[in-house]
Amino acid sequence: MSEEVIVRFPPSPTGYLHIGGARTAIFNWLFARKHGGKFILRIEDTDAERSTEESIQGIIDGLTWLGLDWDEGPYFQSQFAHEHKQVAENLLKEGKAYKCFCTREELEAKRKKALKEKRDIKYDGTCRNLSPEQIEEKEAAGMPYVVRFKVPERQGKIGYDDKVLGRIEKDYREIEDFVIMRSNGRPLYLLCNVVDDIRDRITHIIRGQDHMSNTIRQILLYEALGARPPVFAHMPLTLDLQKRKISKRTHGEVVSVQWYREMGFIPWALVNFLVLLGWNPGTDQEIFSREELIQAFSLERINKSNSVFNYRKGDPKFFTDPKAISINAHYLRTMPIEEIAHMIKDDFKKEGIWLDAYEGEKKKWFLSTLDLIRSRFHTLKDFARQGRAYFADDFEFDPKALKKNVLKRPELKELLPALASELEAVESWNLETTEDAVRKFAESRALKAGIIINGMRTVLTGQLKGPGIFDVMVAIGKDRVIARLRNTPNLFET
RNA sequence: GUCCCCGUCGUCUAGCCCGGUCCAGGACACCGGCCUUUCACGCCGGCAACAGGGGUUCAAAUCCCCUCGGGGACGCCA
């Protein structure tokens, strides 16, 4: 028996990769990696009007950024259009499908009527039993038709064993004769998807529960095509706080993978957060390395119930789900600092504070400074923003900090420059000598050290909070500390 | 309306299959405290849930039934 596992991620390129799609990709990817199988990327661009080159690239970039690698593809569904059509025509020839001449208007009217009468709105089978003569007549008259799949007339139920949901069954009589080919001759998703999955020898289909009602119909297609259906696993959906399905359209950038990149997320942190939405390892572990996650993952531990993406629009404190931020912050302060350095390089360049020396003679200083400040940051962006004063002289002062620590203490105007002069005498600039000098200075002026220390923090970094002041002094360096302290009087201007 | 799925702290969830170890565990968030002349980290502590109702049982979050609630699908979209 073959243990081969082949899964796929089949996005339709009608928008950027969003976190729901990313989560589906993650689950498939993990399953493939866990079983040494293949992960195929297939772009389902059948709906030509809505597919764009831009979103194809966006999806590929998003997956790449997340670190999800695929073994085959990207394939493009549109390239197999001929095959899809051939299959539809074969089904027609074999009597497993039929031509339906009902017009959209007729169908729409019937649907409305059924809804009004509170009946099931499935297709009534008007064209299912047309005689060859009738068909010929309608065709001769140039009437357009769609091809419908002829659901077998069988008693009882058809079903499958869902890896997440368990046994799912449906009565044959409740399945309508669904359309598999449009009147313009282009086959529909339901068919294309099955044909592609058969060709790609897909063994497991892991997708959202919103596809559940397609599954039974697709199993019918597998059967009609003489293929064995794959194993299905329908994952729970991700909803918003109002319990609506999340979508790019209604939620905007907060659900786009690209946005997390722009906001300074560590890609793996996003993967780690997303995988916990609807899955858990059965232990208390929540932070996983790539290897650990692959090892721990299983379809059996996917939840049945939908999860809520805890995001409040306009929340001043959390720009996305607080747990996502917390996981990101965790990685930020625990990852090897070299990796952090690598990830913020481009951002530093963009902010104009990158120095090549950070990878050369100043590397040690650079890494230890990043390490010093990272514990209070939430995103990679914070290094270049809140941490700017460590890497550049043109940094901004937090107005609140300035007011509280500096402006309210006019004596600092004189004190800090005086301290600067004292510091000039410090020979070897380190934690002990700087602390010693500062404390002696405070003592000599009969001042509480806290006033000096808090004032210095703001004058040196522009911030209200930060690492211990002597660490800051060492990180920023003697010359710059003295210069910034001497600049204090200017802060009282304006 | 019809069909399908689901329902444990505010959120993510453990426990449910195989009833007692659960006056329900963890994480995030929130609130205290310790540490720190700041803040964060770290550590300690707190708040907070079995949707409701009936059964079955010595015993139910766990099994059965009903109700309610939420979601999905019902396209010549994917």
Side-chain angles (χ1 to χ4, degrees):
Chain A
M1 189 187 96
S2 167
E3 304 241 338
E4 188 178 37
V5 164
I6 306 178
V7 294
R8 82 300 198 264
F9 176 55
S12 60
T14 53
Y16 288 150
L17 183 63
H18 72 98
I19 56 176
R23 195 174 65 113
T24 306
I26 289 166
F27 281 42
N28 276 283
W29 176 82
L30 283 170
F31 187 67
R33 292 294 166 263
K34 163 120 187 177
H35 296 283
K38 268 187 202 165
F39 178 54
I40 297 177
L41 175 59
R42 187 171 68 222
I43 308 286
E44 308 224 314
D45 55 350
T46 308
D47 186 3
E49 294 86 46
R50 295 201 298 152
S51 300
T52 68
E53 199 55 45
E54 203 184 2
S55 50
I56 291 173
Q57 199 52 48
I59 287 162
I60 289 176
D61 289 347
L63 292 174
T64 307
W65 179 72
L66 288 170
L68 308 180
D69 52 336
W70 52 94
D71 307 291
E72 280 182 30
Y75 294 137
F76 292 89
Q77 189 164 63
S78 56
Q79 292 176 342
F80 300 95
H82 182 75
E83 184 185 344
H84 301 145
K85 192 168 180 179
Q86 193 57 247
V87 169
E89 271 156 14
N90 287 347
L91 286 172
L92 201 51
K93 225 172 284 166
E94 294 166 16
K96 291 172 177 169
Y98 59 90
K99 295 174 181 174
C100 169
F101 297 89
C102 298
T103 65
R104 286 174 210 254
E105 292 70 31
E106 286 166 356
L107 292 172
E108 191 52 41
K110 281 181 185 171
R111 255 181 230 124
K112 278 205 182 115
K113 187 155 175 267
L115 213 51
K116 210 171 177 180
E117 293 169 6
K118 307 189 174 193
R119 285 194 341 262
D120 190 3
I121 53 180
K122 72 180 220 256
Y123 179 60
D124 63 0
T126 305
C127 298
R128 183 170 167 131
N129 296 310
L130 292 179
S131 67
E133 294 74 33
Q134 285 172 306
I135 294 172
E136 205 171 308
E137 190 182 307
K138 285 173 189 288
E139 277 196 275
M143 287 179 70
Y145 62 85
V146 299
V147 176
R148 282 183 189 273
F149 181 76
K150 192 185 271 180
V151 175
E153 282 182 72
R154 282 197 283 237
Q155 293 300 307
K157 297 171 178 217
I158 181 169
Y160 68 98
D161 292 302
D162 193 288
K163 276 290 197 183
V164 173
L165 269 6
R167 182 76 189 166
I168 302 289
E169 290 181 329
K170 190 153 184 130
D171 207 299
Y172 277 103
R173 287 168 310 193
E174 279 161 7
I175 311 167
E176 72 169 349
D177 289 343
F178 52 94
V179 177
I180 55 175
M181 190 157 75
R182 297 174 173 95
S183 55
N184 64 8
R186 286 215 320 259
L188 255 33
Y189 161 81
L190 225 38
L191 207 228
C192 300
N193 199 249
V194 168
V195 171
D196 292 339
D197 285 339
I198 291 172
R199 183 186 54 251
D200 291 336
R201 297 166 58 233
I202 300 301
T203 59
H204 298 256
I205 293 181
I206 306 165
R207 52 165 35 160
Q209 286 179 12
D210 50 345
H211 281 282
M212 243 195 299
S213 56
N214 289 331
T215 304
I216 291 287
R217 293 183 290 180
Q218 291 191 316
I219 286 174
L220 249 18
L221 285 173
Y222 277 97
E223 193 182 277
L225 298 174
R228 203 182 63 178
V231 173
F232 288 91
H234 287 100
M235 9 186 310
L237 269 19
T238 306
L239 312 175
D240 68 8
L241 282 165
Q242 286 80 241
K243 300 281 173 70
R244 294 175 304 186
K245 211 170 122 182
I246 54 166
S247 70
K248 179 108 199 200
R249 194 178 156 161
T250 48
H251 301 89
E253 55 189 7
V254 74
V255 303
S256 131
V257 167
Q258 181 63 27
W259 188 68
Y260 287 83
R261 183 181 191 170
E262 286 160 12
M263 291 304 281
F265 255 71
I266 292 165
W268 185 256
L270 184 58
V271 172
N272 198 147
F273 165 71
L274 255 17
V275 81
L276 257 16
L277 244 35
W279 174 86
N280 74 81
T283 67
D284 286 343
Q285 186 175 5
E286 297 204 305
I287 300 292
F288 300 87
S289 69
R290 188 184 153 106
E291 290 68 33
E292 284 170 335
L293 190 57
I294 290 168
Q295 181 62 34
F297 187 77
S298 75
L299 297 181
E300 286 73 19
R301 289 210 65 90
I302 295 178
N303 294 146
K304 293 179 176 170
S305 50
N306 296 340
S307 54
V308 170
F309 179 60
N310 190 13
Y311 158 71
R312 262 170 238 285
K313 194 171 180 171
D315 190 320
K317 199 162 175 193
F318 302 105
F319 63 88
T320 184
D321 190 314
K323 186 135 189 171
I325 295 176
S326 140
I327 290 174
N328 197 53
H330 174 91
Y331 278 97
L332 213 56
R333 58 178 185 266
T334 55
M335 280 180 84
I337 198 66
E338 289 84 356
E339 290 182 40
I340 300 286
H342 182 71
M343 286 189 282
I344 60 176
K345 183 173 173 180
D346 282 346
D347 199 38
F348 269 48
K349 282 185 173 169
K350 221 178 284 167
E351 298 290 331
I353 56 175
W354 174 256
L355 256 41
D356 284 338
Y358 292 158
E359 287 177 340
E361 69 270 22
K362 295 189 84 169
K363 183 172 179 181
K364 206 176 153 209
W365 173 84
F366 185 60
L367 296 182
S368 68
T369 301
L370 294 179
D371 193 36
L372 178 68
I373 59 182
R374 65 165 153 172
S375 77
R376 68 217 86 213
F377 291 166
H378 292 145
T379 74
L380 293 166
K381 294 287 167 189
D382 291 335
F383 287 93
R385 299 227 217 295
Q386 295 181 54
R388 187 178 177 97
Y390 294 85
F391 310 101
D393 290 321
D394 58 327
F395 57 90
E396 302 210 329
F397 288 84
D398 170 11
K400 272 212 317 237
L402 198 58
K403 194 169 164 197
K404 185 177 176 201
N405 285 342
V406 184
L407 302 184
K408 275 175 87 175
R409 303 266 176 198
E411 64 271 31
L412 290 176
K413 202 193 283 195
E414 181 269 326
L415 285 171
L416 293 185
L419 173 60
S421 302
E422 293 287 316
L423 291 172
E424 286 213 46
V426 175
E427 288 283 326
S428 129
W429 190 260
N430 60 41
L431 249 30
E432 292 75 38
T433 55
T434 50
E435 174 157 10
D436 195 48
V438 171
R439 292 203 186 281
K440 279 212 174 97
F441 177 78
E443 229 170 276
S444 72
R445 303 277 182 133
L447 286 166
K448 281 207 288 191
I451 294 171
I452 299 288
I453 289 171
N454 287 333
M456 283 176 78
R457 179 165 8 258
T458 299
V459 169
L460 295 179
T461 67
Q463 304 279 311
L464 190 58
K465 41 202 183 179
I469 194 64
F470 309 111
D471 284 302
V472 171
M473 290 175 75
V474 171
I476 288 179
K478 183 174 175 180
D479 293 348
R480 291 201 291 182
V481 167
I482 289 171
R484 288 178 193 183
L485 290 178
R486 288 212 163 118
N487 184 50
T488 305
N490 292 329
L491 299 176
F492 284 86
E493 311 299 319
T494 71

